[in-house]
mmCIF file with all atom_site columns, all heavy atoms in Angstrom:
data_model
loop_
_atom_site.group_PDB
_atom_site.id
_atom_site.type_symbol
_atom_site.label_atom_id
_atom_site.label_alt_id
_atom_site.label_comp_id
_atom_site.label_asym_id
_atom_site.label_entity_id
_atom_site.label_seq_id
_atom_site.pdbx_PDB_ins_code
_atom_site.Cartn_x
_atom_site.Cartn_y
_atom_site.Cartn_z
_atom_site.occupancy
_atom_site.B_iso_or_equiv
_atom_site.pdbx_formal_charge
_atom_site.auth_seq_id
_atom_site.auth_comp_id
_atom_site.auth_asym_id
_atom_site.auth_atom_id
_atom_site.pdbx_PDB_model_num
ATOM 1   N N   . LEU A 1 1  ? -11.108 86.237  -85.085 1.00 91.00 ? 1  LEU A N   1
ATOM 2   C CA  . LEU A 1 1  ? -10.994 85.553  -83.821 1.00 91.00 ? 1  LEU A CA  1
ATOM 3   C C   . LEU A 1 1  ? -9.539  85.254  -83.419 1.00 91.00 ? 1  LEU A C   1
ATOM 4   O O   . LEU A 1 1  ? -9.200  85.190  -82.306 1.00 91.00 ? 1  LEU A O   1
ATOM 5   C CB  . LEU A 1 1  ? -11.835 84.281  -83.847 1.00 91.00 ? 1  LEU A CB  1
ATOM 6   C CG  . LEU A 1 1  ? -13.326 84.472  -83.881 1.00 91.00 ? 1  LEU A CG  1
ATOM 7   C CD1 . LEU A 1 1  ? -14.000 83.126  -83.926 1.00 91.00 ? 1  LEU A CD1 1
ATOM 8   C CD2 . LEU A 1 1  ? -13.808 85.292  -82.676 1.00 91.00 ? 1  LEU A CD2 1
ATOM 9   N N   . PHE A 1 2  ? -8.756  85.028  -84.418 1.00 91.00 ? 2  PHE A N   1
ATOM 10  C CA  . PHE A 1 2  ? -7.298  84.732  -84.242 1.00 91.00 ? 2  PHE A CA  1
ATOM 11  C C   . PHE A 1 2  ? -6.524  85.904  -83.740 1.00 91.00 ? 2  PHE A C   1
ATOM 12  O O   . PHE A 1 2  ? -5.772  85.923  -82.768 1.00 91.00 ? 2  PHE A O   1
ATOM 13  C CB  . PHE A 1 2  ? -6.667  84.081  -85.432 1.00 91.00 ? 2  PHE A CB  1
ATOM 14  C CG  . PHE A 1 2  ? -5.166  84.058  -85.383 1.00 91.00 ? 2  PHE A CG  1
ATOM 15  C CD1 . PHE A 1 2  ? -4.521  83.177  -84.537 1.00 91.00 ? 2  PHE A CD1 1
ATOM 16  C CD2 . PHE A 1 2  ? -4.371  84.851  -86.195 1.00 91.00 ? 2  PHE A CD2 1
ATOM 17  C CE1 . PHE A 1 2  ? -3.130  83.060  -84.487 1.00 91.00 ? 2  PHE A CE1 1
ATOM 18  C CE2 . PHE A 1 2  ? -2.989  84.750  -86.184 1.00 91.00 ? 2  PHE A CE2 1
ATOM 19  C CZ  . PHE A 1 2  ? -2.391  83.897  -85.255 1.00 91.00 ? 2  PHE A CZ  1
ATOM 20  N N   . ILE A 1 3  ? -6.774  87.076  -84.391 1.00 90.00 ? 3  ILE A N   1
ATOM 21  C CA  . ILE A 1 3  ? -6.017  88.237  -84.165 1.00 90.00 ? 3  ILE A CA  1
ATOM 22  C C   . ILE A 1 3  ? -6.472  89.104  -82.994 1.00 90.00 ? 3  ILE A C   1
ATOM 23  O O   . ILE A 1 3  ? -5.664  89.704  -82.252 1.00 90.00 ? 3  ILE A O   1
ATOM 24  C CB  . ILE A 1 3  ? -5.876  89.172  -85.417 1.00 90.00 ? 3  ILE A CB  1
ATOM 25  C CG1 . ILE A 1 3  ? -5.302  88.312  -86.575 1.00 90.00 ? 3  ILE A CG1 1
ATOM 26  C CG2 . ILE A 1 3  ? -5.093  90.409  -85.174 1.00 90.00 ? 3  ILE A CG2 1
ATOM 27  C CD1 . ILE A 1 3  ? -5.353  89.039  -87.946 1.00 90.00 ? 3  ILE A CD1 1
ATOM 28  N N   . LEU A 1 4  ? -7.845  89.114  -82.779 1.00 90.00 ? 4  LEU A N   1
ATOM 29  C CA  . LEU A 1 4  ? -8.339  89.970  -81.678 1.00 90.00 ? 4  LEU A CA  1
ATOM 30  C C   . LEU A 1 4  ? -7.773  89.742  -80.323 1.00 90.00 ? 4  LEU A C   1
ATOM 31  O O   . LEU A 1 4  ? -7.410  90.728  -79.675 1.00 90.00 ? 4  LEU A O   1
ATOM 32  C CB  . LEU A 1 4  ? -9.920  89.861  -81.664 1.00 90.00 ? 4  LEU A CB  1
ATOM 33  C CG  . LEU A 1 4  ? -10.618 90.750  -80.649 1.00 90.00 ? 4  LEU A CG  1
ATOM 34  C CD1 . LEU A 1 4  ? -10.280 92.260  -80.882 1.00 90.00 ? 4  LEU A CD1 1
ATOM 35  C CD2 . LEU A 1 4  ? -12.117 90.474  -80.671 1.00 90.00 ? 4  LEU A CD2 1
ATOM 36  N N   . PRO A 1 5  ? -7.599  88.463  -79.874 1.00 89.00 ? 5  PRO A N   1
ATOM 37  C CA  . PRO A 1 5  ? -7.052  88.258  -78.535 1.00 89.00 ? 5  PRO A CA  1
ATOM 38  C C   . PRO A 1 5  ? -5.567  88.751  -78.453 1.00 89.00 ? 5  PRO A C   1
ATOM 39  O O   . PRO A 1 5  ? -5.077  89.189  -77.445 1.00 89.00 ? 5  PRO A O   1
ATOM 40  C CB  . PRO A 1 5  ? -7.101  86.733  -78.371 1.00 89.00 ? 5  PRO A CB  1
ATOM 41  C CG  . PRO A 1 5  ? -8.154  86.294  -79.272 1.00 89.00 ? 5  PRO A CG  1
ATOM 42  C CD  . PRO A 1 5  ? -8.111  87.201  -80.462 1.00 89.00 ? 5  PRO A CD  1
ATOM 43  N N   . ILE A 1 6  ? -4.831  88.597  -79.651 1.00 86.00 ? 6  ILE A N   1
ATOM 44  C CA  . ILE A 1 6  ? -3.459  89.103  -79.626 1.00 86.00 ? 6  ILE A CA  1
ATOM 45  C C   . ILE A 1 6  ? -3.386  90.593  -79.498 1.00 86.00 ? 6  ILE A C   1
ATOM 46  O O   . ILE A 1 6  ? -2.566  91.207  -78.843 1.00 86.00 ? 6  ILE A O   1
ATOM 47  C CB  . ILE A 1 6  ? -2.746  88.601  -80.980 1.00 86.00 ? 6  ILE A CB  1
ATOM 48  C CG1 . ILE A 1 6  ? -2.810  87.079  -81.086 1.00 86.00 ? 6  ILE A CG1 1
ATOM 49  C CG2 . ILE A 1 6  ? -1.263  88.994  -80.948 1.00 86.00 ? 6  ILE A CG2 1
ATOM 50  C CD1 . ILE A 1 6  ? -2.220  86.492  -82.346 1.00 86.00 ? 6  ILE A CD1 1
ATOM 51  N N   . VAL A 1 7  ? -4.319  91.312  -80.238 1.00 86.00 ? 7  VAL A N   1
ATOM 52  C CA  . VAL A 1 7  ? -4.426  92.716  -80.118 1.00 86.00 ? 7  VAL A CA  1
ATOM 53  C C   . VAL A 1 7  ? -4.735  93.127  -78.725 1.00 86.00 ? 7  VAL A C   1
ATOM 54  O O   . VAL A 1 7  ? -4.176  94.086  -78.152 1.00 86.00 ? 7  VAL A O   1
ATOM 55  C CB  . VAL A 1 7  ? -5.475  93.307  -81.116 1.00 86.00 ? 7  VAL A CB  1
ATOM 56  C CG1 . VAL A 1 7  ? -5.738  94.739  -80.860 1.00 86.00 ? 7  VAL A CG1 1
ATOM 57  C CG2 . VAL A 1 7  ? -5.083  93.115  -82.519 1.00 86.00 ? 7  VAL A CG2 1
ATOM 58  N N   . PHE A 1 8  ? -5.626  92.466  -78.059 1.00 85.00 ? 8  PHE A N   1
ATOM 59  C CA  . PHE A 1 8  ? -6.029  92.793  -76.698 1.00 85.00 ? 8  PHE A CA  1
ATOM 60  C C   . PHE A 1 8  ? -4.851  92.560  -75.722 1.00 85.00 ? 8  PHE A C   1
ATOM 61  O O   . PHE A 1 8  ? -4.594  93.389  -74.890 1.00 85.00 ? 8  PHE A O   1
ATOM 62  C CB  . PHE A 1 8  ? -7.232  91.924  -76.230 1.00 85.00 ? 8  PHE A CB  1
ATOM 63  C CG  . PHE A 1 8  ? -7.763  92.266  -74.877 1.00 85.00 ? 8  PHE A CG  1
ATOM 64  C CD1 . PHE A 1 8  ? -8.407  93.468  -74.668 1.00 85.00 ? 8  PHE A CD1 1
ATOM 65  C CD2 . PHE A 1 8  ? -7.582  91.336  -73.827 1.00 85.00 ? 8  PHE A CD2 1
ATOM 66  C CE1 . PHE A 1 8  ? -8.923  93.746  -73.417 1.00 85.00 ? 8  PHE A CE1 1
ATOM 67  C CE2 . PHE A 1 8  ? -8.160  91.705  -72.570 1.00 85.00 ? 8  PHE A CE2 1
ATOM 68  C CZ  . PHE A 1 8  ? -8.752  92.871  -72.339 1.00 85.00 ? 8  PHE A CZ  1
ATOM 69  N N   . TYR A 1 9  ? -4.116  91.463  -75.984 1.00 82.00 ? 9  TYR A N   1
ATOM 70  C CA  . TYR A 1 9  ? -2.955  91.150  -75.174 1.00 82.00 ? 9  TYR A CA  1
ATOM 71  C C   . TYR A 1 9  ? -1.890  92.238  -75.347 1.00 82.00 ? 9  TYR A C   1
ATOM 72  O O   . TYR A 1 9  ? -1.253  92.694  -74.398 1.00 82.00 ? 9  TYR A O   1
ATOM 73  C CB  . TYR A 1 9  ? -2.375  89.811  -75.465 1.00 82.00 ? 9  TYR A CB  1
ATOM 74  C CG  . TYR A 1 9  ? -1.130  89.425  -74.714 1.00 82.00 ? 9  TYR A CG  1
ATOM 75  C CD1 . TYR A 1 9  ? -1.117  89.062  -73.444 1.00 82.00 ? 9  TYR A CD1 1
ATOM 76  C CD2 . TYR A 1 9  ? 0.140   89.525  -75.398 1.00 82.00 ? 9  TYR A CD2 1
ATOM 77  C CE1 . TYR A 1 9  ? 0.061   88.719  -72.726 1.00 82.00 ? 9  TYR A CE1 1
ATOM 78  C CE2 . TYR A 1 9  ? 1.353   89.223  -74.773 1.00 82.00 ? 9  TYR A CE2 1
ATOM 79  C CZ  . TYR A 1 9  ? 1.275   88.768  -73.445 1.00 82.00 ? 9  TYR A CZ  1
ATOM 80  O OH  . TYR A 1 9  ? 2.448   88.456  -72.795 1.00 82.00 ? 9  TYR A OH  1
ATOM 81  N N   . ALA A 1 10 ? -1.674  92.695  -76.610 1.00 80.00 ? 10 ALA A N   1
ATOM 82  C CA  . ALA A 1 10 ? -0.691  93.725  -76.955 1.00 80.00 ? 10 ALA A CA  1
ATOM 83  C C   . ALA A 1 10 ? -1.081  95.036  -76.270 1.00 80.00 ? 10 ALA A C   1
ATOM 84  O O   . ALA A 1 10 ? -0.269  95.784  -75.769 1.00 80.00 ? 10 ALA A O   1
ATOM 85  C CB  . ALA A 1 10 ? -0.623  93.859  -78.418 1.00 80.00 ? 10 ALA A CB  1
ATOM 86  N N   . TRP A 1 11 ? -2.359  95.323  -76.208 1.00 80.00 ? 11 TRP A N   1
ATOM 87  C CA  . TRP A 1 11 ? -2.840  96.583  -75.611 1.00 80.00 ? 11 TRP A CA  1
ATOM 88  C C   . TRP A 1 11 ? -2.597  96.570  -74.121 1.00 80.00 ? 11 TRP A C   1
ATOM 89  O O   . TRP A 1 11 ? -2.214  97.554  -73.580 1.00 80.00 ? 11 TRP A O   1
ATOM 90  C CB  . TRP A 1 11 ? -4.349  96.684  -75.890 1.00 80.00 ? 11 TRP A CB  1
ATOM 91  C CG  . TRP A 1 11 ? -4.993  97.901  -75.229 1.00 80.00 ? 11 TRP A CG  1
ATOM 92  C CD1 . TRP A 1 11 ? -4.724  99.253  -75.444 1.00 80.00 ? 11 TRP A CD1 1
ATOM 93  C CD2 . TRP A 1 11 ? -5.999  97.869  -74.135 1.00 80.00 ? 11 TRP A CD2 1
ATOM 94  N NE1 . TRP A 1 11 ? -5.504  100.012 -74.576 1.00 80.00 ? 11 TRP A NE1 1
ATOM 95  C CE2 . TRP A 1 11 ? -6.304  99.200  -73.836 1.00 80.00 ? 11 TRP A CE2 1
ATOM 96  C CE3 . TRP A 1 11 ? -6.669  96.805  -73.522 1.00 80.00 ? 11 TRP A CE3 1
ATOM 97  C CZ2 . TRP A 1 11 ? -7.249  99.530  -72.820 1.00 80.00 ? 11 TRP A CZ2 1
ATOM 98  C CZ3 . TRP A 1 11 ? -7.609  97.149  -72.551 1.00 80.00 ? 11 TRP A CZ3 1
ATOM 99  C CH2 . TRP A 1 11 ? -7.866  98.465  -72.256 1.00 80.00 ? 11 TRP A CH2 1
ATOM 100 N N   . LEU A 1 12 ? -2.670  95.413  -73.451 1.00 79.00 ? 12 LEU A N   1
ATOM 101 C CA  . LEU A 1 12 ? -2.478  95.275  -72.036 1.00 79.00 ? 12 LEU A CA  1
ATOM 102 C C   . LEU A 1 12 ? -1.056  95.297  -71.670 1.00 79.00 ? 12 LEU A C   1
ATOM 103 O O   . LEU A 1 12 ? -0.601  95.857  -70.655 1.00 79.00 ? 12 LEU A O   1
ATOM 104 C CB  . LEU A 1 12 ? -3.168  93.989  -71.558 1.00 79.00 ? 12 LEU A CB  1
ATOM 105 C CG  . LEU A 1 12 ? -4.709  94.000  -71.445 1.00 79.00 ? 12 LEU A CG  1
ATOM 106 C CD1 . LEU A 1 12 ? -5.151  92.597  -70.975 1.00 79.00 ? 12 LEU A CD1 1
ATOM 107 C CD2 . LEU A 1 12 ? -5.221  95.079  -70.546 1.00 79.00 ? 12 LEU A CD2 1
ATOM 108 N N   . THR A 1 13 ? -0.238  94.685  -72.495 1.00 77.00 ? 13 THR A N   1
ATOM 109 C CA  . THR A 1 13 ? 1.207   94.469  -72.075 1.00 77.00 ? 13 THR A CA  1
ATOM 110 C C   . THR A 1 13 ? 2.190   95.261  -72.923 1.00 77.00 ? 13 THR A C   1
ATOM 111 O O   . THR A 1 13 ? 3.352   95.341  -72.606 1.00 77.00 ? 13 THR A O   1
ATOM 112 C CB  . THR A 1 13 ? 1.522   92.962  -72.282 1.00 77.00 ? 13 THR A CB  1
ATOM 113 O OG1 . THR A 1 13 ? 1.508   92.621  -73.675 1.00 77.00 ? 13 THR A OG1 1
ATOM 114 C CG2 . THR A 1 13 ? 0.604   92.128  -71.465 1.00 77.00 ? 13 THR A CG2 1
ATOM 115 N N   . GLY A 1 14 ? 1.760   95.889  -74.044 1.00 69.00 ? 14 GLY A N   1
ATOM 116 C CA  . GLY A 1 14 ? 2.719   96.607  -74.862 1.00 69.00 ? 14 GLY A CA  1
ATOM 117 C C   . GLY A 1 14 ? 3.468   95.632  -75.790 1.00 69.00 ? 14 GLY A C   1
ATOM 118 O O   . GLY A 1 14 ? 4.453   96.041  -76.450 1.00 69.00 ? 14 GLY A O   1
ATOM 119 N N   . PHE A 1 15 ? 3.043   94.408  -75.941 1.00 66.00 ? 15 PHE A N   1
ATOM 120 C CA  . PHE A 1 15 ? 3.687   93.376  -76.823 1.00 66.00 ? 15 PHE A CA  1
ATOM 121 C C   . PHE A 1 15 ? 3.637   93.863  -78.261 1.00 66.00 ? 15 PHE A C   1
ATOM 122 O O   . PHE A 1 15 ? 2.585   94.284  -78.737 1.00 66.00 ? 15 PHE A O   1
ATOM 123 C CB  . PHE A 1 15 ? 2.972   92.045  -76.664 1.00 66.00 ? 15 PHE A CB  1
ATOM 124 C CG  . PHE A 1 15 ? 3.360   91.048  -77.703 1.00 66.00 ? 15 PHE A CG  1
ATOM 125 C CD1 . PHE A 1 15 ? 4.565   90.357  -77.627 1.00 66.00 ? 15 PHE A CD1 1
ATOM 126 C CD2 . PHE A 1 15 ? 2.471   90.754  -78.767 1.00 66.00 ? 15 PHE A CD2 1
ATOM 127 C CE1 . PHE A 1 15 ? 4.897   89.422  -78.637 1.00 66.00 ? 15 PHE A CE1 1
ATOM 128 C CE2 . PHE A 1 15 ? 2.864   89.816  -79.741 1.00 66.00 ? 15 PHE A CE2 1
ATOM 129 C CZ  . PHE A 1 15 ? 4.061   89.158  -79.657 1.00 66.00 ? 15 PHE A CZ  1
ATOM 130 N N   . GLY A 1 16 ? 4.794   93.824  -78.907 1.00 61.00 ? 16 GLY A N   1
ATOM 131 C CA  . GLY A 1 16 ? 4.840   94.234  -80.315 1.00 61.00 ? 16 GLY A CA  1
ATOM 132 C C   . GLY A 1 16 ? 4.861   95.757  -80.524 1.00 61.00 ? 16 GLY A C   1
ATOM 133 O O   . GLY A 1 16 ? 4.723   96.206  -81.616 1.00 61.00 ? 16 GLY A O   1
ATOM 134 N N   . GLY A 1 17 ? 4.960   96.523  -79.512 1.00 60.00 ? 17 GLY A N   1
ATOM 135 C CA  . GLY A 1 17 ? 4.976   97.983  -79.650 1.00 60.00 ? 17 GLY A CA  1
ATOM 136 C C   . GLY A 1 17 ? 3.590   98.614  -79.576 1.00 60.00 ? 17 GLY A C   1
ATOM 137 O O   . GLY A 1 17 ? 2.630   97.951  -79.312 1.00 60.00 ? 17 GLY A O   1
ATOM 138 N N   . ASP A 1 18 ? 3.595   99.939  -79.675 1.00 64.00 ? 18 ASP A N   1
ATOM 139 C CA  . ASP A 1 18 ? 2.331   100.671 -79.576 1.00 64.00 ? 18 ASP A CA  1
ATOM 140 C C   . ASP A 1 18 ? 1.339   100.227 -80.746 1.00 64.00 ? 18 ASP A C   1
ATOM 141 O O   . ASP A 1 18 ? 1.742   100.061 -81.879 1.00 64.00 ? 18 ASP A O   1
ATOM 142 C CB  . ASP A 1 18 ? 2.481   102.174 -79.640 1.00 64.00 ? 18 ASP A CB  1
ATOM 143 C CG  . ASP A 1 18 ? 3.316   102.648 -78.458 1.00 64.00 ? 18 ASP A CG  1
ATOM 144 O OD1 . ASP A 1 18 ? 3.227   101.989 -77.380 1.00 64.00 ? 18 ASP A OD1 1
ATOM 145 O OD2 . ASP A 1 18 ? 4.034   103.658 -78.590 1.00 64.00 ? 18 ASP A OD2 1
ATOM 146 N N   . LEU A 1 19 ? 0.017   100.091 -80.358 1.00 67.00 ? 19 LEU A N   1
ATOM 147 C CA  . LEU A 1 19 ? -1.002  99.823  -81.396 1.00 67.00 ? 19 LEU A CA  1
ATOM 148 C C   . LEU A 1 19 ? -1.123  100.995 -82.288 1.00 67.00 ? 19 LEU A C   1
ATOM 149 O O   . LEU A 1 19 ? -1.487  100.840 -83.493 1.00 67.00 ? 19 LEU A O   1
ATOM 150 C CB  . LEU A 1 19 ? -2.283  99.416  -80.716 1.00 67.00 ? 19 LEU A CB  1
ATOM 151 C CG  . LEU A 1 19 ? -2.267  98.113  -79.902 1.00 67.00 ? 19 LEU A CG  1
ATOM 152 C CD1 . LEU A 1 19 ? -3.625  97.893  -79.277 1.00 67.00 ? 19 LEU A CD1 1
ATOM 153 C CD2 . LEU A 1 19 ? -1.908  96.908  -80.837 1.00 67.00 ? 19 LEU A CD2 1
ATOM 154 N N   . LEU A 1 20 ? -1.073  102.168 -81.722 1.00 65.00 ? 20 LEU A N   1
ATOM 155 C CA  . LEU A 1 20 ? -1.140  103.372 -82.556 1.00 65.00 ? 20 LEU A CA  1
ATOM 156 C C   . LEU A 1 20 ? 0.057   104.208 -82.370 1.00 65.00 ? 20 LEU A C   1
ATOM 157 O O   . LEU A 1 20 ? 0.539   104.529 -81.277 1.00 65.00 ? 20 LEU A O   1
ATOM 158 C CB  . LEU A 1 20 ? -2.394  104.218 -81.964 1.00 65.00 ? 20 LEU A CB  1
ATOM 159 C CG  . LEU A 1 20 ? -2.660  105.537 -82.694 1.00 65.00 ? 20 LEU A CG  1
ATOM 160 C CD1 . LEU A 1 20 ? -3.172  105.266 -84.095 1.00 65.00 ? 20 LEU A CD1 1
ATOM 161 C CD2 . LEU A 1 20 ? -3.736  106.335 -81.898 1.00 65.00 ? 20 LEU A CD2 1
ATOM 162 N N   . ILE A 1 21 ? 0.758   104.489 -83.509 1.00 68.00 ? 21 ILE A N   1
ATOM 163 C CA  . ILE A 1 21 ? 1.985   105.211 -83.493 1.00 68.00 ? 21 ILE A CA  1
ATOM 164 C C   . ILE A 1 21 ? 1.673   106.711 -83.595 1.00 68.00 ? 21 ILE A C   1
ATOM 165 O O   . ILE A 1 21 ? 1.366   107.214 -84.675 1.00 68.00 ? 21 ILE A O   1
ATOM 166 C CB  . ILE A 1 21 ? 2.940   104.773 -84.678 1.00 68.00 ? 21 ILE A CB  1
ATOM 167 C CG1 . ILE A 1 21 ? 3.170   103.239 -84.620 1.00 68.00 ? 21 ILE A CG1 1
ATOM 168 C CG2 . ILE A 1 21 ? 4.226   105.557 -84.680 1.00 68.00 ? 21 ILE A CG2 1
ATOM 169 C CD1 . ILE A 1 21 ? 3.888   102.713 -85.783 1.00 68.00 ? 21 ILE A CD1 1
ATOM 170 N N   . THR A 1 22 ? 1.617   107.316 -82.450 1.00 59.00 ? 22 THR A N   1
ATOM 171 C CA  . THR A 1 22 ? 1.154   108.764 -82.365 1.00 59.00 ? 22 THR A CA  1
ATOM 172 C C   . THR A 1 22 ? 2.167   109.722 -82.867 1.00 59.00 ? 22 THR A C   1
ATOM 173 O O   . THR A 1 22 ? 3.401   109.600 -82.603 1.00 59.00 ? 22 THR A O   1
ATOM 174 C CB  . THR A 1 22 ? 0.726   109.061 -80.960 1.00 59.00 ? 22 THR A CB  1
ATOM 175 O OG1 . THR A 1 22 ? 1.812   108.837 -80.035 1.00 59.00 ? 22 THR A OG1 1
ATOM 176 C CG2 . THR A 1 22 ? -0.459  108.173 -80.442 1.00 59.00 ? 22 THR A CG2 1
ATOM 177 N N   . ASP A 1 23 ? 1.671   110.775 -83.483 1.00 56.00 ? 23 ASP A N   1
ATOM 178 C CA  . ASP A 1 23 ? 2.527   111.922 -83.928 1.00 56.00 ? 23 ASP A CA  1
ATOM 179 C C   . ASP A 1 23 ? 1.522   113.064 -83.954 1.00 56.00 ? 23 ASP A C   1
ATOM 180 O O   . ASP A 1 23 ? 0.691   113.158 -84.818 1.00 56.00 ? 23 ASP A O   1
ATOM 181 C CB  . ASP A 1 23 ? 3.090   111.621 -85.231 1.00 56.00 ? 23 ASP A CB  1
ATOM 182 C CG  . ASP A 1 23 ? 4.062   112.738 -85.708 1.00 56.00 ? 23 ASP A CG  1
ATOM 183 O OD1 . ASP A 1 23 ? 4.010   113.828 -85.088 1.00 56.00 ? 23 ASP A OD1 1
ATOM 184 O OD2 . ASP A 1 23 ? 4.848   112.522 -86.631 1.00 56.00 ? 23 ASP A OD2 1
ATOM 185 N N   . GLN A 1 24 ? 1.716   114.067 -83.082 1.00 48.00 ? 24 GLN A N   1
ATOM 186 C CA  . GLN A 1 24 ? 0.775   115.127 -83.021 1.00 48.00 ? 24 GLN A CA  1
ATOM 187 C C   . GLN A 1 24 ? 0.781   116.039 -84.294 1.00 48.00 ? 24 GLN A C   1
ATOM 188 O O   . GLN A 1 24 ? -0.129  116.723 -84.575 1.00 48.00 ? 24 GLN A O   1
ATOM 189 C CB  . GLN A 1 24 ? 1.209   116.034 -81.815 1.00 48.00 ? 24 GLN A CB  1
ATOM 190 C CG  . GLN A 1 24 ? 1.068   115.393 -80.453 1.00 48.00 ? 24 GLN A CG  1
ATOM 191 C CD  . GLN A 1 24 ? 1.364   116.274 -79.289 1.00 48.00 ? 24 GLN A CD  1
ATOM 192 O OE1 . GLN A 1 24 ? 1.869   117.385 -79.510 1.00 48.00 ? 24 GLN A OE1 1
ATOM 193 N NE2 . GLN A 1 24 ? 1.093   115.858 -78.064 1.00 48.00 ? 24 GLN A NE2 1
ATOM 194 N N   . GLU A 1 25 ? 1.836   115.995 -85.052 1.00 54.00 ? 25 GLU A N   1
ATOM 195 C CA  . GLU A 1 25 ? 1.937   116.766 -86.258 1.00 54.00 ? 25 GLU A CA  1
ATOM 196 C C   . GLU A 1 25 ? 1.381   116.039 -87.467 1.00 54.00 ? 25 GLU A C   1
ATOM 197 O O   . GLU A 1 25 ? 1.293   116.659 -88.580 1.00 54.00 ? 25 GLU A O   1
ATOM 198 C CB  . GLU A 1 25 ? 3.352   117.205 -86.569 1.00 54.00 ? 25 GLU A CB  1
ATOM 199 C CG  . GLU A 1 25 ? 3.962   118.095 -85.450 1.00 54.00 ? 25 GLU A CG  1
ATOM 200 C CD  . GLU A 1 25 ? 5.408   118.429 -85.754 1.00 54.00 ? 25 GLU A CD  1
ATOM 201 O OE1 . GLU A 1 25 ? 5.921   118.017 -86.842 1.00 54.00 ? 25 GLU A OE1 1
ATOM 202 O OE2 . GLU A 1 25 ? 6.047   119.187 -84.952 1.00 54.00 ? 25 GLU A OE2 1
ATOM 203 N N   . THR A 1 26 ? 0.914   114.802 -87.289 1.00 60.00 ? 26 THR A N   1
ATOM 204 C CA  . THR A 1 26 ? 0.488   114.048 -88.494 1.00 60.00 ? 26 THR A CA  1
ATOM 205 C C   . THR A 1 26 ? -1.075  113.801 -88.378 1.00 60.00 ? 26 THR A C   1
ATOM 206 O O   . THR A 1 26 ? -1.547  113.405 -87.325 1.00 60.00 ? 26 THR A O   1
ATOM 207 C CB  . THR A 1 26 ? 1.185   112.662 -88.490 1.00 60.00 ? 26 THR A CB  1
ATOM 208 O OG1 . THR A 1 26 ? 2.530   112.913 -88.577 1.00 60.00 ? 26 THR A OG1 1
ATOM 209 C CG2 . THR A 1 26 ? 0.742   111.863 -89.663 1.00 60.00 ? 26 THR A CG2 1
ATOM 210 N N   . SER A 1 27 ? -1.778  113.965 -89.421 1.00 63.00 ? 27 SER A N   1
ATOM 211 C CA  . SER A 1 27 ? -3.161  113.780 -89.480 1.00 63.00 ? 27 SER A CA  1
ATOM 212 C C   . SER A 1 27 ? -3.400  112.276 -89.723 1.00 63.00 ? 27 SER A C   1
ATOM 213 O O   . SER A 1 27 ? -2.757  111.618 -90.529 1.00 63.00 ? 27 SER A O   1
ATOM 214 C CB  . SER A 1 27 ? -3.814  114.528 -90.632 1.00 63.00 ? 27 SER A CB  1
ATOM 215 O OG  . SER A 1 27 ? -5.160  114.083 -90.840 1.00 63.00 ? 27 SER A OG  1
ATOM 216 N N   . PHE A 1 28 ? -4.377  111.688 -88.987 1.00 69.00 ? 28 PHE A N   1
ATOM 217 C CA  . PHE A 1 28 ? -4.650  110.236 -89.125 1.00 69.00 ? 28 PHE A CA  1
ATOM 218 C C   . PHE A 1 28 ? -5.881  110.010 -90.011 1.00 69.00 ? 28 PHE A C   1
ATOM 219 O O   . PHE A 1 28 ? -6.388  108.904 -90.039 1.00 69.00 ? 28 PHE A O   1
ATOM 220 C CB  . PHE A 1 28 ? -4.843  109.610 -87.741 1.00 69.00 ? 28 PHE A CB  1
ATOM 221 C CG  . PHE A 1 28 ? -3.589  109.224 -87.038 1.00 69.00 ? 28 PHE A CG  1
ATOM 222 C CD1 . PHE A 1 28 ? -2.748  110.151 -86.475 1.00 69.00 ? 28 PHE A CD1 1
ATOM 223 C CD2 . PHE A 1 28 ? -3.216  107.863 -87.071 1.00 69.00 ? 28 PHE A CD2 1
ATOM 224 C CE1 . PHE A 1 28 ? -1.560  109.778 -85.877 1.00 69.00 ? 28 PHE A CE1 1
ATOM 225 C CE2 . PHE A 1 28 ? -2.029  107.456 -86.480 1.00 69.00 ? 28 PHE A CE2 1
ATOM 226 C CZ  . PHE A 1 28 ? -1.242  108.410 -85.877 1.00 69.00 ? 28 PHE A CZ  1
ATOM 227 N N   . THR A 1 29 ? -6.390  111.059 -90.648 1.00 80.00 ? 29 THR A N   1
ATOM 228 C CA  . THR A 1 29 ? -7.597  110.894 -91.418 1.00 80.00 ? 29 THR A CA  1
ATOM 229 C C   . THR A 1 29 ? -7.400  109.921 -92.566 1.00 80.00 ? 29 THR A C   1
ATOM 230 O O   . THR A 1 29 ? -8.116  108.935 -92.699 1.00 80.00 ? 29 THR A O   1
ATOM 231 C CB  . THR A 1 29 ? -8.071  112.296 -91.970 1.00 80.00 ? 29 THR A CB  1
ATOM 232 O OG1 . THR A 1 29 ? -8.244  113.142 -90.875 1.00 80.00 ? 29 THR A OG1 1
ATOM 233 C CG2 . THR A 1 29 ? -9.405  112.082 -92.668 1.00 80.00 ? 29 THR A CG2 1
#
């Protein structure tokens, strides 16, 4: 409950950087 609203806020505003650090050459499995 503490972290979920912060994650949602970060998703909307970009706070704290990208939630997912994408790299097309890297497998996320």
